[in-house]
Amino acid sequence: MGLFNGLFGHNKNQEEKATGKIAWIPITSLVEIDEIEEKSEIRPQVIFKHSTTCGISRMVLNMFSANYRIEEGHMDMYFLDLHKHRDVSDEISRKFGVTHQSPQLLIIKEGAVVAHKSHGAITEIDLEPYVSLEERQ
């Protein structure tokens, strides 16, 4: 079971290693959704919805984190644990009009979702075009 648990089960050390490169901000309450919407007027906000019990979600998180190249301060990166905060996920779907998926990545600018991907497509998303020209310089 050890091999399969490492690939598909919950392995906290692997998850911490994958998320360590990105300064994730945990989303834990409904109030934070309005704050994210407000902050998106200043700079892009990214939400990663993650299922902590899903091997595919963990694999996508690892791949996304390994390829992350945006300098700190250019985007706010939010992490949502779906098992602990499903109500928050439901509200994100309602507020931004994007059907819930897991894993899922949403990019929010000026109060609206400008891009979203789910499952393996998350690893193919290029965040650079969503950073404003002023922030790149």
Side-chain angles (χ1 to χ4, degrees):
M1 184 78 177
L3 171 66
F4 292 112
N5 193 36
L7 290 173
F8 302 108
H10 183 69
N11 187 325
K12 189 172 181 153
N13 290 339
Q14 283 179 329
E15 202 160 289
E16 286 173 0
K17 187 187 295 182
T19 61
K21 185 176 177 180
I22 300 172
W24 293 109
I25 303 164
I27 304 174
T28 59
S29 73
L30 296 171
V31 173
E32 291 168 289
I33 300 168
D34 290 332
E35 293 170 3
I36 290 169
E37 183 180 30
E38 287 175 29
K39 288 179 182 179
S40 76
E41 297 293 338
I42 298 166
R43 72 171 160 242
Q45 307 293 296
V46 176
I47 298 174
F48 190 100
K49 295 166 128 188
H50 175 60
S51 171
T52 55
T53 60
C54 175
I56 292 171
S57 188
R58 185 170 304 104
M59 179 183 69
V60 169
L61 175 62
N62 289 342
M63 292 172 70
F64 176 80
S65 296
N67 294 318
Y68 182 77
R69 304 279 182 258
I70 303 297
E71 289 184 37
E72 191 170 338
H74 289 251
M75 295 181 147
D76 292 328
M77 304 295 292
Y78 291 89
F79 185 87
L80 177 61
D81 179 335
L82 293 172
H83 290 284
K84 290 183 181 176
H85 306 288
R86 182 57 196 248
D87 60 328
V88 176
S89 177
D90 292 342
E91 181 59 17
I92 289 169
S93 296
R94 187 201 65 73
K95 182 173 199 80
F96 295 112
V98 176
T99 302
H100 166 77
Q101 300 273 332
S102 172
Q104 185 174 44
L105 183 98
L106 296 92
I107 302 170
I108 304 160
K109 282 186 82 166
E110 298 176 0
V113 172
V114 294
H116 63 92
K117 299 288 182 184
S118 64
H119 299 87
I122 292 171
T123 63
E124 299 166 8
I125 197 161
D126 181 8
L127 297 176
E128 191 70 31
Y130 301 101
V131 177
S132 70
L133 290 175
E134 302 84 43
E135 292 174 329
R136 290 186 213 174
Q137 298 171 355

